[in-house]
Amino acid sequence: MKSKNAYWIIAGILNLFTFILHLIGGQIELVNPMVESLKLDVSSQLVGAWHMVTIILFVTSYILLLAGFNKKYTYNIELIKWIGYLNLLFCFPFIIGSFYYGIFLTQWILFLPIGLLTVVGLKKTNANA
């Protein structure tokens, strides 16, 4: 029996924290003020897209935690790999936006460790195989 993957467990916990920040903090600080200033059709699309990301954050947290505790998704290495790559890719819009707009967008700081820990966890899994 394979052991637990601490890297994926930590990545899953960080991802779950990001999900909670996105769901509550982002809704209050970003979405609600924008919704009040936009037309109904535009604001409803914004809220829909916002919560699509929220769903992705929750599901990827769930998968990482299951895999980390050696549950259902442990053997679906491709899925875990793409969750790591997705989180690394999530960094780029915020890093590029920081340079483009001349302000420090901090969201990439949440996604970078999730992506890195997931990829490092893959290397641990491959070493134990």
Side-chain angles (χ1 to χ4, degrees), residues 25-79:
Q27 182 74 36
I28 293 169
E29 294 289 322
L30 295 172
V31 175
N32 289 347
M34 282 193 288
V35 165
E36 293 170 2
S37 66
L38 300 171
K39 291 191 277 182
L40 183 59
D41 62 331
V42 175
S43 64
S44 63
Q45 291 176 29
L46 171 68
V47 170
W50 183 266
H51 288 297
M52 288 169 60
V53 174
T54 304
I55 291 166
I56 290 171
L57 288 170
F58 178 75
V59 171
T60 55
S61 300
Y62 178 75
I63 292 168
L64 283 171
L65 288 169
L66 281 180
F69 286 110
N70 199 25
K71 301 292 183 192
K72 185 177 179 182
Y73 294 99
T74 302
Y75 298 104
N76 195 339
I77 297 301
E78 287 300 312
L79 178 60

